[in-house]
Amino acid sequence: MDDREKAVEAEKAAEKRHEEKVTQRQMNLDAKLHYPKDSFFKTLDSSVKKNSVFVKKLSTITEANRAKLTQDLNSLNLTKYIEEVVAAICTARLKMQDMNCAIHLCSLLHRRYSDFSTLLLKNLQQSLANFGTKEDKVSRMRIELRLLGQCLVLGIITDQKEGFTLLHNTINHIVHNDKEKLEYLPAIVSFVKHCGEDILGVMSSKNRELQEEYSVKLPMMKFLGKEKQQIFADLVREYCATVIISLIRMHGRLLKILKQNKKTLYMKGEVSAEKIEIAEKLSAQHSKLTMNATTLADLLCETLPDLPSLHNLDDDDQDQSGGNTNASDMGEGHLWEDEDQKTFYRDILDLTGIVPQILYKRDSSKDGKEEKKEEKKVEEKVEEKKIVDLEEVKDEEEITEEKIEEEFNKLAIKEEEEDDEEEEEIVVTQNSTQDNNSSSLVMTVSNKALMDTFINRLSTISNRDLVNEVAQEFCLSLNTKTNRKKLVRALYGVPRSRLDLLPFHARLVRTLSPILPDVPADLFTLLKKEFLYHLRKKDQNNLETKVKNIRFIGELCKFETVEKAEALWCLRVLLEQFTHHNIEIACNLLECCGRYLFRSPDTHLKTNHLLDQMMRKKVVHNLDPRQITMVENAYYYCNPPERVAYTKKIRPPLHDYIRKLLFIELNKHSVEKVLRQFRKLPWNNEEVARYAMKSLCKVWMVKFHNIYCVANLLSGLAQFQERVGITVVENVLEAIRVGMEINQPQYNQRRVAEAKLLGELYNYRMIESNIIFNTLYLVISFGSLPDGTNPIDPPTDTIRIRLVLTIMDTCGQYFEKGNLKKKCDTFLLFFQKYLFTKVQPLPIDVDYSIQDTMEAIRPHMTLYSTVVEVDEAIAEISPQLRHVLGSQEVDDDEDEDEDEDTETEDAADDGNSPTEDEEVKVKKLEVHKCEEDEEFLKELEKTMTAELSDRKTNMRVGSSDLALPMNRGFKGPKIDGNKMQFSVLLKKGSKQQFKPMGIPLESDFASNLYDKQKAVLKEKEELKRLVLSQEQRQEEEELLAEELECGTGGGGGSTRNWGYTARPADRKQRPRKAPQLTTEMFNFSR
């Protein structure tokens, strides 16, 4: 049905009502011309009994007995009882839905009895004149005002002038004397609703909209002039304005009280009972006034002002929930961690649809009234606990102890009464069973055995299905009062070590509670009594029992078997005595149901206030570290800190591909594949190249055991993109230095990974040994002051020790000969001295790491136990430090070149060199000239020219470079004692003679010649050793190749590895030959 059809139907209904009113009014006005004669009344029943009964019926007029009353009225002669009839109608306790019946009877009486109209007006005048003294004056005014108005409209009151005067005086009195309390507002609303169109000449907003929108005609009676209608309308509109002003004032007052209560609730967690009662009363008055004012304004076509909402208070109050969760936005879904937990605590089996009502109705119907009284008492107690005002509690500790004592005594008295009732029942049962036969005894014994079996089964409950099965079994087979008592005792006596059973037992209680309400009530009584008992006793025993008890209460609270106010009350009492075991009990309660209470909208603020109070007590009280940890864990379990939502960074696809290759796919089996993919990158694109090098520097994002694969990748990539190796090495060295400057613990793992990469870069010949040793010395000396202190390296910080050990574990095995061995030994002495700057003894893991590293690289080195011994060892080598560390870089390079040559040969023998099908393009280092280089070359050329000119003027041949005369029979100088024997060539005439001559070994000539001979012999022996080892290695490889051919049938092929060359097991060499980066390429100064 559309709006147009509704408008048409409304028009028809209005026309019908209008016709009925006009007809009835005309009939009532014409009644004085057609009153019945006396002969008519003689035909009617005039018996006193029936007339008296009818008069009594008029005092209870209802729409249901309308037909009966009309029938009696038409059959009775009420001429002598007309006054009693009028009085009964005026004093009848009518309801608004019965007013039409009363008007109908008045209309019938008026048409038959001529004096009815006069008597009715007289009674209304008396009643309306004394309405202020009646107890039910508001309801009587509502009825009489409508009765007067409708009687005037329908012409029942013939003296219209007197009637409208009475109506005007009544409304005028209400308007001018009811501006404050607005007691008669419902009477005015009812009068305007039923008589407004006819007497006031006003139309409601709804009818006016229909008339304007759909052009329908809604007729109105016009028996009263417009001027008189305007008088009545002005009076009512004046009253409506008064109502609107009162509504605005009341709304502002209610808004202020609600804000104050909300502020008090936020600041203290509770609001006093008086304030809550005032707010509730005012809110009820406000709702009633708003409803009446809205109705009256709609009837008079007036508009109400827009008032601020009572639900959305000031913006400042929106964030006063105190926690990380807005309580107003919380719903059922926020109470639980996941759907399984929500299902466990909320999806409860409904036994009322399974268990026949007869099995539990009998027991519950006996004492239904008593249970209702007890429930009311419990609700009153809970409400009292909910609204205890903190402002009125001056001495909380004393009041709490008194409350504990009072609660405990009440529970004890209640338990004693229950025990007495049980004893009486037992006596009655014994007396009644004496007359029973033996069969009943057999049934009792079997029932007891079933109950014992049922109780034993409770310890095996481990899921929801078993709980539902056990609940059904108890209700169908074991539901007696004695068994319920046994069940409560069994649940209460759960072993203190079986905390895992508590959720399932609580679910069982919740499942039984709809049909067996005494089970949860009795169980909670026992739990609360035990809780109060331990609080009163204040002993430090039975901690597990206390924890079991409080966790059981928490589980019952989550199942809503126990009121939330009870759990909060227990927590508050524990916080009042926040010592010893009470700390652990409070933490267990919060861990059990604290998050549920914190997330529940009705208990959020109170729980948050108690949590803040607990954290303040933690600071004030002298708690041990274990208790502090427990309190913090409980607090953050209930109110976890805010977590910033992780937003994935959007990168270009090529950047994601680089990260995937480097951080996910790179391992020892995929180095060759990753190297090929990196070579295919668009290195000409500066953005891609920069990101690739940046990713190669983020070595901490690679698994630690795969860091060597990054160095392997770099060594292979540097042959094609030389700037990659230089950039990565520079960044790694810079990162190590920056890490020592800031020294933040969160970067320790990153610094260890960077140290590991630095060592692997040396293993793959990306850097020289000088860079390694410079870094090692920088690690142990950076930031040191002259007095030996180091502000950026505290004595308790061992991260630098770990950096040194990581580097030495990675590449220290290659410092075993020549000057590298001497440098390493010297550094290890200084490293031992550095260890004594730390707090002794060192942590056990660091000490073991040092021992493992020394065992691997220097198993026979002396580890000094005191700093004095280390200083003495350093003093012994001090004269030689300049000779060893400062002037032997050339020898280091020779040693490294030796390794390069040997490694190259090994690579060639292994077949890992590039084949004809696969060309390797090795680019030369590009030299970019600049002005500084040209200036440097000019200065170098001047220096070299000056040095050459000085050498020409002061040229002198060293004694060690003298050419010795050759003699075929002479085999070289011989050493005899402290002299070296030479043969001196003498010439006399044409003859040559050789004459022996001894030169002391201390002379420069003899010592230089001796060192030179010794170096030549050493070189020959080393060359011999290399040749022999090369031959031995070739033989071993040939044998290995033959074995492989025999094992694989000769079908295998060679595998090329661009990134890694395996080291032989019997030789310790660096893995591969790669472009070396010298120390001149890096600037170590900040």
Side-chain angles (χ1 to χ4, degrees), residues 988-1004:
K988 290 185 178 181
S990 59
K991 294 183 179 180
Q992 294 180 351
Q993 296 180 357
F994 294 92
K995 189 175 182 179
M997 182 179 66
I999 299 177
L1001 291 175
E1002 291 80 1
S1003 62
D1004 294 338

Side-chain angles (χ1 to χ4, degrees), residues 69-87:
L69 291 173
T70 303
Q71 182 181 357
D72 293 342
L73 176 62
N74 293 329
S75 63
L76 293 176
N77 181 10
L78 300 172
T79 306
K80 298 180 181 180
Y81 303 95
I82 193 64
E83 293 183 3
E84 289 83 351
V85 170
V86 172

Side-chain angles (χ1 to χ4, degrees), residues 32 91 253 262 480 490 590 693 756 852 886 937 949 953:
K32 59 184 180 180
T91 59
R253 188 162 66 254
K262 187 171 184 180
T480 63
L590 290 174
M693 290 185 288
K756 174 74 173 177
D852 294 342
L937 292 175
S949 61
T953 56

Side-chain angles (χ1 to χ4, degrees), residues 198-253:
D198 302 325
I199 297 177
L200 305 181
V202 296
M203 185 179 295
S204 65
S205 300
K206 182 178 179 181
N207 293 338
R208 188 178 295 275
E209 289 177 0
L210 289 174
Q211 191 172 6
E212 293 177 355
E213 185 174 356
Y214 300 103
S215 301
V216 296
K217 295 181 179 180
L218 301 176
M220 299 172 60
M221 296 184 67
K222 300 180 180 179
F223 64 91
L224 195 65
K226 292 185 178 180
E227 295 179 357
K228 294 182 179 180
Q229 286 183 343
Q230 188 64 35
I231 293 173
F232 284 101
D234 292 342
L235 283 174
V236 177
R237 284 194 173 93
E238 182 181 353
Y239 189 72
C240 181
T242 303
V243 172
I244 293 175
I245 294 173
S246 299
L247 178 62
I248 295 173
R249 292 176 181 174
M250 184 178 292
H251 186 85
R253 188 162 66 254

Side-chain angles (χ1 to χ4, degrees), residues 170-375:
T170 304
I171 297 176
N172 187 51
H173 186 287
I174 292 174
V175 170
H176 292 90
N177 294 280
D178 191 34
K179 293 183 178 181
E180 297 296 332
K181 296 182 179 181
L182 301 178
E183 293 179 335
Y184 301 105
L185 176 60
I188 297 296
V189 171
S190 177
F191 171 76
V192 175
K193 183 176 182 181
H194 295 90
C195 306
E197 293 182 356
D198 302 325
I199 297 177
L200 305 181
V202 296
M203 185 179 295
S204 65
S205 300
K206 182 178 179 181
N207 293 338
R208 188 178 295 275
E209 289 177 0
L210 289 174
Q211 191 172 6
E212 293 177 355
E213 185 174 356
Y214 300 103
S215 301
V216 296
K217 295 181 179 180
L218 301 176
M220 299 172 60
M221 296 184 67
K222 300 180 180 179
F223 64 91
L224 195 65
K226 292 185 178 180
E227 295 179 357
K228 294 182 179 180
Q229 286 183 343
Q230 188 64 35
I231 293 173
F232 284 101
D234 292 342
L235 283 174
V236 177
R237 284 194 173 93
E238 182 181 353
Y239 189 72
C240 181
T242 303
V243 172
I244 293 175
I245 294 173
S246 299
L247 178 62
I248 295 173
R249 292 176 181 174
M250 184 178 292
H251 186 85
R253 188 162 66 254
L254 178 59
L255 193 65
K256 183 178 180 181
I257 291 176
L258 290 177
K259 289 181 180 180
Q260 291 177 352
N261 289 354
K262 187 171 184 180
K263 184 177 181 181
T264 303
L265 185 63
Y266 168 70
M267 297 297 294
K268 301 181 179 180
E270 293 175 329
V271 183
S272 65
E274 183 180 357
K275 291 181 179 179
I276 291 179
E277 185 178 0
I278 292 173
E280 290 177 352
K281 288 183 179 180
L282 188 60
S283 178
Q285 295 175 5
H286 177 269
S287 301
K288 188 175 180 180
L289 180 61
T290 302
M291 181 182 64
N292 289 326
T294 304
T295 304
L296 183 60
D298 180 69
L299 293 172
L300 298 175
C301 290
E302 299 289 338
T303 57
L304 289 177
D306 294 332
L307 301 176
S309 176
L310 297 176
H311 301 287
N312 299 327
L313 302 180
D314 292 343
D315 296 337
D316 298 336
D317 298 333
Q318 294 295 328
D319 300 328
Q320 288 184 353
S321 58
N324 299 328
T325 308
N326 191 357
S328 62
D329 296 337
M330 289 181 181
E332 182 69 18
H334 293 278
L335 297 178
W336 316 108
E337 296 301 316
D338 48 36
E339 286 298 325
D340 292 338
Q341 189 181 34
K342 179 182 177 181
T343 303
F344 181 79
Y345 285 101
R346 286 294 176 264
D347 189 7
I348 306 299
L349 178 66
D350 186 10
L351 293 179
T352 58
I354 300 175
V355 180
Q357 189 177 4
I358 193 173
L359 294 181
Y360 59 88
K361 185 177 180 181
R362 294 175 181 174
D363 294 334
S364 61
S365 62
K366 292 180 181 179
D367 51 354
K369 296 181 180 179
E370 296 179 359
E371 287 183 358
K372 289 181 180 179
K373 292 180 180 179
E374 292 179 358
E375 289 178 359

Side-chain angles (χ1 to χ4, degrees), residues 792-811:
I792 60 176
D793 185 23
T796 57
D797 191 5
T798 60
I799 180 60
R800 295 197 183 188
I801 299 177
R802 297 184 186 275
L803 296 180
V804 172
L805 296 179
T806 301
I807 296 175
M808 297 306 295
D809 286 336
T810 305
C811 60

